[in-house]
Amino acid sequence: MLTGMEQIIENGTVTRGWIGVGVQNITKELGESLKLPAANGVLITQVERGGPAGKAGVRLGDVLLSVNGRRVADTSTMLNLIAGLEPGQQAGLRLTRDQAEIDVTVTIGRRPRPPQRK
């Protein structure tokens, strides 16, 4: 993948991967309330309808543990891991759902442009 500067030079814009979720860091207290063995990963707080994560079966309340085998420590790490992937690329997500770990494959998307104001 090209760096941001290389993308600007080649394409005039920077393209970052997107999966269409909102996330929240997992505190010790939140981890306990979700009955997680440890406060790892990030809580999925929003799933964009029709977005890549929704199409892959990601649900509200899932905990994202890793992206392509790389541990997700916090929201910043998760955003950087996803942003570094190319739209159209497949990525493996490891999730905790109902106290069980599951794997899903998501096709990375391109963040939709916000509507233009007139």
Side-chain angles (χ1 to χ4, degrees):
M1 177 167 187
L2 299 174
T3 67
M5 183 58 76
E6 291 168 336
Q7 286 183 27
I8 289 173
I9 292 168
E10 189 169 301
N11 307 319
T13 62
V14 175
T15 301
R16 291 193 163 83
W18 172 79
I19 60 170
V21 296
V23 293
Q24 170 185 330
N25 286 327
I26 296 183
T27 62
K28 182 179 179 214
E29 296 77 19
L30 182 57
E32 288 171 359
S33 74
L34 295 171
K35 298 182 176 123
L36 298 174
N40 294 329
V42 294
L43 178 66
I44 304 293
T45 58
Q46 177 185 358
V47 180
E48 182 124 355
R49 186 175 307 198
K55 289 178 182 176
V58 176
R59 299 181 192 164
L60 287 176
D62 285 348
V63 176
L64 177 59
L65 301 173
S66 67
V67 176
N68 285 339
R70 296 186 65 190
R71 183 175 168 266
V72 172
D74 54 31
T75 57
S76 178
T77 302
M78 176 266 186
L79 292 171
N80 287 332
L81 288 172
I82 298 297
L85 299 172
E86 301 246 1
Q89 179 180 351
Q90 300 276 308
L93 305 181
R94 172 149 290 192
L95 306 165
T96 296
R97 177 182 298 157
D98 299 326
Q99 301 171 350
E101 288 189 13
I102 62 169
D103 294 306
V104 299
T105 301
V106 63
T107 301
I108 302 301
R110 183 183 314 256
R111 179 178 298 278
R113 289 204 164 137
Q116 297 292 321
R117 291 185 175 189
K118 294 188 180 201

